Amino acid sequence: MKRVKIIGLTLGALALAGVTSACGSATAGTAQPTSSPSASADKADVGVEVEVEAPAAVKVPDGNKLVGKYQASGVQAYTCAAGTWKLLEPDAILVTKDSKPIILHTRGPVWVSTVDGSAVEAAAVDGAKVDHPDAIPEILLKAKTVRGDGLLGKVTYVQRLDTKGGVAPTGTCQPNVQQSAPYSALYTFYTSA
């Protein structure tokens, strides 16, 4: 249990540092947009230059365009319920090609821009999944709700690609015990074309 709290606090501190540096100053309740091109939803900020071919099972439907792709690292937190491990939440930071925090990823799943406060909550698309024996699956998610006019305010689809780690612990467990598994992935964000 201590490990989860320490990791959460560490990621929280990193996230706060990213929000402060991305916004210029910490202003209570208000994110201050920067003049960075990534703050505009009209311009594609590919974020990272990684080229990953999306498997057919998780392809984004026609009529959508790529507006950003960012490398993520963090943990998949699991909790024990009825003797088995269940996903509790992701806790990750997505970064630009310059390794600057730009998006926080947490339970929902939700992604929140540290640049402008825009956000997207999405749900996995049924059947749009590619399993891996040693990593969490690659998946396609469809936006349920969006907030703001910035970077994530018009997102329609999110892909989780090139996953490494994050697999749930194995074996039985004691009720309410939590454990985190480090992971990394490439997240891509799309809007209507």
Side-chain angles (χ1 to χ4, degrees):
M1 187 105 130
K2 287 182 182 178
R3 183 175 167 199
V4 171
K5 288 181 182 177
I6 290 169
I7 290 172
L9 290 173
T10 302
L11 288 175
L14 287 171
L16 182 57
V19 170
T20 302
S21 67
C23 297
S25 65
T27 305
T30 308
Q32 302 297 318
T34 66
S35 60
S36 163
S38 61
S40 172
D42 296 332
K43 298 178 184 174
D45 174 19
V46 292
V48 293
E49 296 170 358
V50 176
E51 292 301 323
V52 174
E53 181 71 27
V58 297
K59 290 268 188 192
V60 174
D62 291 340
N64 293 279
K65 66 179 180 179
L66 177 70
V67 291
K69 60 181 178 176
Y70 305 97
Q71 192 64 45
S73 60
V75 297
Q76 295 283 317
Y78 295 91
T79 188
C80 183
T84 60
W85 293 103
K86 307 254 188 235
L87 180 66
L88 177 63
E89 64 185 349
D91 191 0
I93 298 173
L94 284 65
V95 297
T96 65
K97 62 184 169 190
D98 300 327
S99 299
K100 293 195 175 18
I102 191 164
I103 297 170
L104 304 178
H105 177 38
T106 190
R107 188 183 304 201
V110 172
W111 294 263
V112 179
S113 167
T114 63
V115 175
D116 56 32
S118 61
V120 58
E121 179 180 11
V125 174
D126 287 339
K129 175 169 111 169
V130 177
D131 288 317
H132 298 290
D134 57 351
I136 55 176
E138 293 177 288
I139 57 175
L140 176 65
L141 303 106
K142 184 174 183 180
K144 290 180 4 181
T145 60
V146 292
R147 176 184 76 209
D149 293 326
L151 181 65
L152 302 174
K154 294 183 173 131
V155 167
T156 52
Y157 285 92
V158 179
Q159 287 174 314
R160 182 175 72 194
L161 305 171
D162 195 28
T163 56
K164 294 176 180 62
V167 178
T170 57
T172 59
C173 53
Q174 298 299 314
N176 302 318
V177 171
Q178 295 180 358
Q179 189 169 339
S180 295
Y183 90 105
S184 66
L186 177 69
Y187 286 93
T188 62
F189 297 88
Y190 288 79
T191 62
S192 294

